[in-house]
Amino acid sequence: MAQRLLKKHLILSVVRKPRLLLLQHEMSTSSKRFNNVHYKLVVVGGGSGGCTMAAKFTKRFEPNSVAIIEPNDVHYYQPMWTLVGGGVKTFEQSRRAMKDVLPKTAKWIKENAVQFDPNNNLIVTSSGQKISYDYLIMATGLQLDYHKVKGLVEALKTGKVCSIYSPVYVKQTFSAIKNFKGGNAVFTFPNTPIKCPGAPQKIMYLAEDYFRKHGIHVDANVMYFTSLPVIFGVKKYANALMKIVEKRNINVSLRHNLIEVVPDKNLAVFENLDKPGAIHTVNYELLHVTPPMSPLDVLKSSPLVDGSGWVDVNKDTLQHVRFSNVFAIGDCTNLPTSRTAAGIAAQSGVLYRNLVSFIEKKPISAIYNGYTSCPLITGYGKCILAEFDYNQQPLETFPINQDKEMWMFYFMKKDLMPQLYWQLMLRGNWEGPQLIRKLAHFGMSR
């Protein structure tokens, strides 16, 4: 009898023990999944601004005290996409694995941030994980809204419509240019803030130069439709660009916004922003579209943003206007300057010094003057180097007139700037050319 009871006990033990281990395992993973995780600094976004700021602060803080929330596996050097569209660079040259550009001593949280609670220093990710922080840097970038132009998504599948702004579409741009045999070649600029506002013209100038070099320009009618009242926001460079478009017979239509594409008829439909209700329809054989852009949807209902959905920061210090332990950089902000990688480089030094001062309870004193730069490629081997500040005043690095087309500026754009980006900026070691500017101008430049 005793032996039968002992045997039954052993059998039950064998059956129950794995179940107990399974329950213990389930409790362990569940607790890890839903426990709050705390970091000294959280950076939201692994683009230009996010990588740069994470690199700077991982050098200052202990390992794994900085977290980067970024869902993507690939990091792109997007300023190169103009050259990809023009057949000068390959798409592969513009990309790196995200794991190779994020700092190794930071914690990479490969998820989306879906909720922000700055009142409690808390972020919720797409898996439901709650992440708390002492300090927060917003570097989420912006989103491309191709779907907001009626018929555009379908038109981008036809081969005649292209766009350098997306990794999905940039690769087909040079094919569209090469396949163009004549007719209207149309290029657009939308009625929203965009990143790199010079790029819609750059790809147009490259395309026109390609047509010219291949004898197609005599049959080509190059047209530029922009929602803006001027061809470029800084008068000095706008004057130079107007001379170029006049010399090369490029037709410019100001205050026109693309609202529809009819791909089966090759029609682009524009609204005249100065005459509500007035519509202008153009037939195209090549259409390059710069899509409308906007803040990320997840930010639009966040306490972090202004009335337009952009992260609301002090334009001088990059500190949030309501949440003092929050800073922001780049395309996601409401800074009144052009959204460029050069602007992010200049902002990174200001943000770093001001956040360090805030952490150390010292006065915030670093000031961002709105510096940004746009290397305006005007053809193969030609470029105007536009540099300016918040006041739309030139802030040029070199002691020469930079509104002239120069091979040197083209070389910088094509070969030097990508190296500065990959080797210096993303490692936290490039804050723009202000030191070079001072040296070149014998200390007299701002």
Side-chain angles (χ1 to χ4, degrees):
M1 181 69 176
Q3 288 179 339
R4 284 199 302 271
L5 288 173
L6 179 59
K7 184 176 181 180
K8 184 177 180 181
H9 174 73
L10 289 172
I11 291 171
L12 288 173
S13 297
V14 170
V15 172
R16 288 170 178 166
K17 190 171 183 180
R19 176 60 181 162
L20 180 60
L21 289 172
L22 180 61
L23 287 170
Q24 288 174 338
H25 174 71
E26 288 174 347
M27 291 172 63
S28 174
T29 55
S30 298
S31 63
K32 285 181 181 178
R33 186 176 300 163
F34 296 108
N35 270 359
N36 289 6
V37 182
H38 182 84
Y39 297 94
K40 187 177 184 71
L41 171 66
V42 171
V43 179
V44 184
S48 302
C51 281
T52 299
M53 296 317 304
K56 284 180 172 293
F57 279 100
T58 51
K59 297 173 186 177
R60 184 179 185 89
F61 296 157
E62 294 294 322
N64 294 316
S65 59
V66 175
I68 305 163
I69 302 176
E70 169 56 55
N72 294 304
D73 288 314
V74 180
H75 180 105
Y76 295 105
Y77 176 52
Q78 295 181 36
M80 189 180 285
W81 286 350
T82 301
L83 295 171
V84 174
V88 178
K89 297 281 189 178
T90 66
F91 179 69
E92 287 68 29
Q93 288 175 296
S94 74
R95 54 180 288 164
R96 297 283 190 279
M98 188 67 70
K99 64 181 178 60
D100 293 334
V101 298
L102 295 179
K104 304 303 181 187
T105 57
K107 173 65 176 177
W108 178 16
I109 301 171
K110 194 180 170 185
E111 297 187 51
N112 284 301
V114 298
Q115 186 177 343
F116 297 91
D117 182 6
N119 289 296
N120 294 298
N121 297 336
L122 198 66
I123 296 170
V124 180
T125 68
S126 46
S127 71
Q129 185 180 41
K130 295 181 178 179
I131 300 170
S132 59
Y133 55 83
D134 294 328
Y135 312 101
L136 173 65
I137 295 176
M138 294 294 294
T140 55
L142 48 66
Q143 64 188 21
L144 307 176
D145 295 327
Y146 286 96
H147 64 282
K148 289 186 178 179
V149 177
K150 184 178 179 182
L152 176 56
V153 174
E154 293 77 16
L156 283 161
K157 302 172 185 176
T158 63
K160 290 188 175 183
V161 183
C162 55
S163 177
I164 59 170
Y165 274 90
S166 163
V168 178
Y169 304 125
V170 64
K171 291 180 284 187
Q172 65 196 45
T173 301
F174 190 51
S175 294
I177 292 172
K178 289 192 296 182
N179 292 333
F180 176 81
K181 302 305 179 185
N184 292 335
V186 180
F187 298 80
T188 74
F189 188 112
N191 191 29
T192 66
I194 68 170
K195 52 186 170 183
C196 195
Q201 286 186 68
K202 298 178 198 180
I203 189 61
M204 174 184 71
Y205 296 130
L206 283 173
E208 193 277 341
D209 199 21
Y210 182 90
F211 303 155
R212 190 173 294 274
K213 291 180 184 302
H214 290 79
I216 307 170
H217 68 288
V218 293
D219 298 315
N221 180 28
V222 180
M223 311 173 76
Y224 183 58
F225 288 84
T226 174
S227 65
L228 301 177
V230 291
I231 195 169
F232 196 77
V234 180
K235 190 175 189 306
K236 175 178 181 177
Y237 307 117
N239 291 341
L241 292 171
M242 285 305 297
K243 291 177 182 177
I244 290 171
V245 298
E246 289 169 5
K247 179 181 178 181
R248 291 159 69 171
N249 295 317
I250 296 172
N251 298 298
V252 177
S253 296
L254 305 176
R255 300 291 290 155
H256 279 73
N257 179 46
L258 181 69
I259 58 173
E260 184 179 358
V261 182
V262 186
D264 58 336
K265 297 180 180 179
N266 293 346
L267 296 177
V269 183
F270 296 88
E271 60 178 343
N272 187 325
L273 297 174
D274 289 332
K275 297 178 180 179
I279 299 298
H280 182 53
T281 301
V282 178
N283 180 273
Y284 65 83
E285 292 302 318
L286 168 66
L287 174 62
H288 177 275
V289 178
T290 301
M293 303 181 198
S294 66
L296 267 61
D297 289 335
V298 68
L299 286 180
K300 293 175 183 176
S301 59
S302 161
L304 293 169
V305 301
D306 64 10
S308 299
W310 305 105
V311 180
D312 200 2
V313 295
N314 181 294
K315 73 180 185 69
D316 299 322
T317 65
L318 309 185
Q319 185 180 35
H320 200 276
V321 297
R322 294 184 299 279
F323 304 101
S324 59
N325 65 333
V326 178
F327 289 72
I329 188 171
D331 297 349
C332 69
T333 69
N334 60 358
L335 296 173
T337 192
S338 293
R339 293 168 165 85
T340 67
I344 290 172
Q347 294 162 28
S348 69
V350 173
L351 194 161
Y352 177 78
R353 288 187 284 278
N354 284 339
L355 181 49
V356 168
S357 294
F358 180 79
I359 292 170
E360 295 178 346
K361 296 181 169 51
K362 295 177 181 178
I364 288 178
S365 58
I367 300 297
Y368 174 53
N369 61 6
Y371 171 83
T372 191
S373 175
C374 187
L376 293 161
I377 294 173
T378 54
Y380 295 97
K382 296 180 288 186
C383 182
I384 290 171
L385 184 55
E387 296 179 283
F388 49 96
D389 61 14
Y390 275 139
N391 298 317
Q392 305 292 291
Q393 294 301 308
L395 188 55
E396 297 180 343
T397 297
F398 300 100
I400 55 178
N401 194 348
Q402 292 182 194
D403 69 353
K404 306 298 182 186
E405 294 176 290
M406 293 189 185
W407 176 88
M408 178 181 75
F409 298 148
Y410 181 82
F411 163 76
M412 290 173 58
K413 166 67 176 176
K414 182 173 77 77
D415 297 317
L416 178 60
M417 292 178 184
Q419 293 305 312
L420 285 175
Y421 185 81
W422 296 120
Q423 304 302 326
L424 293 179
M425 183 172 162
L426 293 190
R427 298 178 182 181
N429 298 322
W430 176 251
E431 297 177 358
Q434 57 267 35
L435 179 58
I436 299 171
R437 185 184 309 119
K438 285 190 176 294
L439 292 172
H441 293 269
F442 303 102
M444 302 300 291
S445 177
R446 290 173 286 155

